[in-house]
Amino acid sequence: MQSAEVDRLLTPIRNFLLCETPAEWVAMACQPEQLPVLLRDHMVCELKAAQSAMLLLRRYAVDAASGEALLQWLAPYEDYTYRLQGDWRALAQPTSLRKTMMGRADKPYSQDLIDKMVMLIKEELHHFYQVLEVADEFGIAYDKITSSRYARELLREVRTHEPATLVDKLICGAFIEARSCERFAKLAPHLPARLSQFYVSLLRSEARHYQDYLSLAEAIAGQDISARVGQFAELEAELILAPDSDFKFHSGRPLATDVALAAAVHG
């Protein structure tokens, strides 16, 4: 992908986010010894994105039978990730979603939610498998990994009454997707060619996801949500810029001592 195309994809994302990823995070992420954590956490992030979309569909958009079909669709990925069951190569031909999703009559926005979230789930699960492929090429076996504070702290601010709960969850999804793309672009120039090409391809695939989340949030809210988006933007920037001792794909600014130690080990 040419730099002009990268800039075209990133410009709206950069305008949406209030800050760039700190240089310290990029320096930490580019240390070879951090690659296992980076790829394992990235893989889990792809699955969590699919799970979040599935949960939104089950709670707000589809009937019970469709909800069960969604659970079965994600089951092989969850078994491998959380229970270390199965061979990851079998996910190359996973159980597909065979049932047509039926929207709930009492939710006027259900079809729009179904259309966008089913496509997003398909893409995220495909990327989940791609991360496993890349990790295997680098000799990195998957192992369980703890989650970072990032998504947890964003979701902590979600309101507890509807439709505000759904609107806030969609806004959180928008920031998670936008930050992921911004980090794909930050990482790509500093990684081995295979990884660089991979992250650029993900940027191309996922650049629109945050906009899908935002358009759904505004449609469901039925009013301008810019003030609420602004509140989450400030929280998201705080999480990205604040010191963070737990290095992950969406973690905050690494401690200076951690960055220096990683550089010294690599050197």
Side-chain angles (χ1 to χ4, degrees):
M1 185 187 296
Q2 299 299 313
S3 59
E5 186 179 2
V6 172
D7 288 342
R8 178 182 61 80
L9 292 172
L10 281 177
T11 294
I13 291 171
R14 287 170 175 155
N15 291 337
F16 177 61
L17 299 170
L18 293 187
C19 71
E20 292 189 18
T21 290
E24 297 95 323
W25 186 91
V26 178
M28 188 80 165
C30 294
Q31 300 300 328
E33 64 271 16
Q34 299 299 331
L35 187 58
V37 171
L38 189 72
L39 290 178
R40 288 167 184 160
D41 192 53
H42 179 188
M43 188 205 83
V44 175
C45 287
E46 297 288 354
L47 177 60
K48 286 183 176 178
Q51 289 177 308
S52 295
M54 182 268 289
L55 289 172
L56 289 175
L57 289 176
R58 293 187 70 227
R59 180 166 182 179
Y60 297 105
V62 301
D63 60 11
S66 297
E68 181 60 30
L70 287 166
L71 286 175
Q72 294 303 315
W73 189 19
L74 266 67
Y77 299 89
E78 294 173 332
D79 286 341
Y80 180 79
T81 303
Y82 302 126
R83 291 172 281 278
L84 299 178
Q85 294 177 358
D87 184 343
W88 68 269
R89 295 169 183 82
L91 299 175
Q93 296 180 328
T95 303
S96 61
L97 184 63
R98 297 184 177 90
K99 178 177 173 52
T100 300
M101 295 289 102
M102 299 296 294
R104 289 167 49 180
D106 62 326
K107 302 293 184 183
Y109 49 77
S110 62
Q111 193 58 52
D112 195 18
L113 198 61
I114 290 168
D115 293 342
K116 287 185 170 65
M117 292 297 104
V118 167
M119 181 60 67
L120 186 142
I121 292 170
K122 289 179 179 178
E123 291 185 357
E124 302 292 4
L125 293 181
H126 176 60
H127 296 158
F128 171 96
Y129 182 80
Q130 286 183 307
V131 178
L132 280 171
E133 280 188 312
V134 170
D136 184 66
E137 291 176 26
F138 282 84
I140 298 170
Y142 173 68
D143 200 0
K144 292 181 180 180
I145 190 168
T146 58
S147 59
S148 69
R149 69 185 185 185
Y150 178 78
R152 181 175 63 251
E153 292 301 318
L154 285 176
L155 292 169
R156 195 188 300 274
E157 298 303 312
V158 169
R159 292 170 288 184
T160 57
H161 59 280
E162 299 292 358
T165 300
L166 175 54
V167 170
D168 283 358
K169 286 181 178 179
L170 291 167
I171 293 172
C172 288
F175 279 103
I176 293 169
E177 293 289 338
R179 181 59 65 185
S180 296
C181 287
E182 190 260 356
R183 292 208 158 168
F184 296 154
K186 286 287 188 181
L187 285 167
H190 305 286
L191 295 175
R194 173 68 175 95
L195 278 169
S196 177
Q197 293 166 4
F198 175 56
Y199 279 121
V200 168
S201 73
L202 290 183
L203 172 61
R204 181 188 292 113
S205 296
E206 299 196 7
R208 74 174 192 284
H209 286 180
Y210 86 97
Q211 294 169 325
D212 288 341
Y213 273 107
L214 284 179
S215 64
L216 279 169
E218 188 138 35
I220 292 167
Q223 61 186 15
D224 179 55
I225 60 171
S226 57
R228 190 62 178 160
V229 171
Q231 291 173 339
F232 275 103
E234 291 179 1
L235 172 59
E236 198 272 345
E238 289 175 8
L239 292 168
I240 292 299
L241 296 177
D244 194 343
S245 61
D246 183 25
F247 175 76
K248 294 288 169 51
F249 195 86
H250 288 102
S251 57
R253 189 189 300 272
L255 303 179
T257 53
D258 291 338
V259 177
L261 179 60
V265 170
H266 179 52

